[in-house]
Structure formats: C-alpha cells, structure tokens
Amino acid sequence: IESKEDFDLDRFDSNFISLSNEMIEIYEEHDFSINNFINGKTKKIIIFSSLPDDFMELTPTHIRKNLFIKTILPIIYVENKKILSERKQILNWWTETEGKDISRDFWPEWLRKVCDKYNYKEDNIGELLARVDIIPISLAMSQAVKESDWGTTNYAREGNTVFGEYTFNVQEGISPKKISNNQDFGKISFNNLSESVASYIRNLNTNLEFNNLREKRKKLRMDGKVLSGLEMINHLKITSKTSVNYSIELKKLMEENNFMKFDNLISM
C-alpha cells in the first residue's frame, strides 16, 4: 500500500509469498521497520495474508517475535483506518443535519448498513459513534500476542486465528488438539489475518460483554484524550479459561514490550 491514507485492500499489488526470508527481504526492500512505520518513514504499508510456513523454525526467538509484530501491526492500523473513515462519514452527516433527531426511517442507506454491521438498533447517533470507533493498537497487539502466543498456536498458523475467537460451528472452525468429552466448540478459521483482526475489532465494538470498554473509550473521546490501551485495559472484562488474572497479564505484556508507543499512530 503506497501510503497510510491508501488502505483499500482491493487496490494493491500482491505476490505469493510463503517463507519468512521472503517476507524479511520485502521488509528490507521497502525499508519497513517498526520504528520507521511509527515515525512515518516507510515507503509502503506491507500487508501479508498469513504467517510464513516456516514461522516456527525462526531462531532466535526475538526474530520470530519481531516478524510477528511487523506482520500484525500494519493490519491493525489499516482496519482501524477503515473504522475512522466510517466514523468521519457519520460525523459529517450528523453535522450536516445540525445534530437534529432524525427518525431512522429517513437515514441514508449507507448509514443503515453501518448500523447493521455494528448490530445497532437504536436511533441515537451519539450511541452509534460509541460503537464505530477504533481499538487502541497497543491493546489489539497485546491480545494478539497473548491469544496466539506470539503466533505459535496451531490456530494462528493453520487458520489465521490470531485472537482465538470461538465458534460453535465446529465444521467451519479448528478443533482443539485435545478434545474433551463435552467439547462442542472450535476456533474460528479465517481466510487471512486481516479477516481475523477485523472480526476481533467488530467483536469488541458490538458484543454486550464489552460495553464497559466502549464506555471508557467514549469518555476518553469526550475528554479529548488519545485512546490509550493501557487506560482501557482494566475495562476489558474477559472470562479466560486459562487465566484468572487476564487483564493483569495483558497489562504486563503491554508494558514489557512497550506496545503503548503504537497508540499515537491513529488519531482523528
């Protein structure tokens, strides 16, 4: 992708790449590093559809972790930019109508489609905007690392399932390696990593369980503050099957890897 403003994935050149050394060569060719991306010095945004086939063979570990961040970071960025585009369109329409209460029956078709996408049934535009908003990159990256164990789970490598989302349609998902007698779910399988990131963000923006997270984000917006993953993390209520201190572990992961530096990448 030629620039940070050009994020229509239907309009970009693509090649079939399956090995880590090929990915690394492309990053080097376009001078794409994490620091360069943060500082706006990258020539292009590079999007890969999957982790490389030989991902588990990469050594030492820090090289594999660096490649994982390089792969996921621009995808989270692009998916957030898509949401900001939707948000801007809603805000522009709301401004044009001078903030009047307009019956949903008279909303434009594109706005009703946005409501369908975010499972929103009400008439209040302000509450719709509470859903149509970004997830701080630091938070998304921390969860991607934790849920996929830095991309090493079979779900991430076989089904691009970075965030470990569950499905009860086992035929369409990936079943766990160890299946209990009452196992009736699997992990959602995605065609590419971008679909996985988009699904994760949509889940946080629509699921009732994450209403507290959205309310905190709304308050940060109203206070004119940068959306901070570190501030929002305590409002991420998740019942984890593997950890009773999920938020604490996520916060530690975020701080140890200094993922907070990603949050200034996205702004209105």
Side-chain angles (χ1 to χ4, degrees):
I1 305 177
E2 295 293 344
S3 74
K4 288 185 178 181
E5 301 306 317
D6 181 15
F7 50 87
D8 183 354
L9 295 186
D10 292 329
R11 298 185 293 104
F12 76 125
D13 295 332
S14 62
N15 292 293
F16 180 80
I17 295 169
S18 62
L19 298 177
S20 56
N21 66 327
E22 295 175 318
M23 293 175 68
I24 292 171
E25 285 176 4
I26 287 181
Y27 284 132
E28 292 176 349
E29 176 186 349
H30 297 289
D31 203 20
F32 188 96
S33 68
I34 294 170
N35 286 335
N36 280 353
F37 184 64
I38 292 174
N39 296 321
K41 296 180 180 179
T42 51
K43 298 176 182 178
K44 293 184 179 182
I45 297 176
I46 300 170
I47 302 292
F48 286 104
S49 61
S50 301
L51 294 170
D53 293 342
D54 59 347
F55 185 67
M56 295 298 292
E57 300 170 19
L58 276 175
T59 56
T61 303
H62 73 85
I63 293 180
R64 188 169 66 221
K65 289 183 175 181
N66 184 266
L67 183 60
F68 180 79
I69 295 173
K70 276 186 178 181
T71 303
I72 302 300
L73 175 62
I75 296 176
I76 298 172
Y77 176 89
V78 166
E79 293 304 320
N80 271 329
K81 288 290 287 184
K82 291 178 180 179
I83 293 172
L84 285 184
S85 180
E86 292 175 328
R87 184 178 175 86
K88 181 179 180 181
Q89 189 176 16
I90 295 170
L91 285 167
N92 287 343
W93 178 81
W94 203 16
T95 300
E96 290 173 2
T97 60
E98 299 178 345
K100 296 178 181 178
D101 291 330
I102 299 177
S103 171
R104 189 172 175 135
D105 294 335
F106 298 98
W107 287 6
E109 181 63 24
W110 65 263
L111 184 56
R112 288 199 288 269
K113 288 182 179 179
V114 171
C115 289
D116 291 340
K117 178 180 177 180
Y118 289 88
N119 297 333
Y120 187 70
K121 309 295 183 183
E122 309 301 325
D123 292 339
N124 189 304
I125 293 294
E127 290 304 314
L128 172 61
L129 286 169
R131 294 194 176 201
V132 186
D133 209 343
I134 67 168
I135 300 300
I137 296 179
S138 63
L139 179 58
M141 182 62 70
S142 298
Q143 285 200 271
V145 167
K146 181 168 179 57
E147 296 298 334
S148 71
D149 194 14
W150 291 96
T152 62
T153 64
N154 68 301
Y155 308 116
R157 290 180 289 110
E158 295 176 14
N160 299 307
T161 310
V162 183
F163 298 94
E165 292 183 83
Y166 289 96
T167 176
F168 289 98
N169 188 341
V170 181
Q171 286 74 25
E172 295 183 0
I174 302 174
S175 299
K177 293 298 184 183
K178 295 181 180 179
I179 303 178
S180 60
N181 293 333
N182 60 349
Q183 183 74 51
D184 58 356
F185 62 86
K187 298 290 184 73
I188 302 175
S189 179
F190 297 95
N191 291 321
N192 53 62
L193 294 170
S194 293
E195 284 187 8
S196 179
V197 173
S199 177
Y200 155 79
I201 295 176
R202 186 167 56 251
N203 187 29
L204 292 192
N205 279 337
T206 60
N207 197 313
L208 290 176
E209 292 184 8
F210 304 119
N211 188 57
N212 288 340
L213 182 79
R214 295 193 291 270
E215 285 298 314
K216 177 61 178 179
R217 181 177 62 186
K218 180 181 177 181
K219 186 178 187 306
L220 289 173
R221 282 286 192 210
M222 293 176 68
D223 292 342
K225 296 181 179 179
V226 172
L227 299 189
S228 164
L230 200 58
E231 288 195 50
M232 290 173 60
I233 202 168
N234 291 329
H235 301 267
L236 183 66
K237 305 299 181 183
I238 288 184
T239 303
S240 175
K241 293 179 173 60
T242 59
S243 172
V244 294
N245 298 310
Y246 186 88
S247 295
I248 295 175
E249 292 177 4
L250 207 61
K251 183 177 180 181
K252 182 180 179 182
L253 186 63
M254 184 185 296
E255 292 176 330
E256 286 180 346
N257 293 278
N258 191 24
F259 288 154
M260 297 85 73
K261 63 187 177 184
F262 298 141
D263 287 343
N264 287 321
L265 267 170
I266 295 283
S267 68
M268 287 297 286

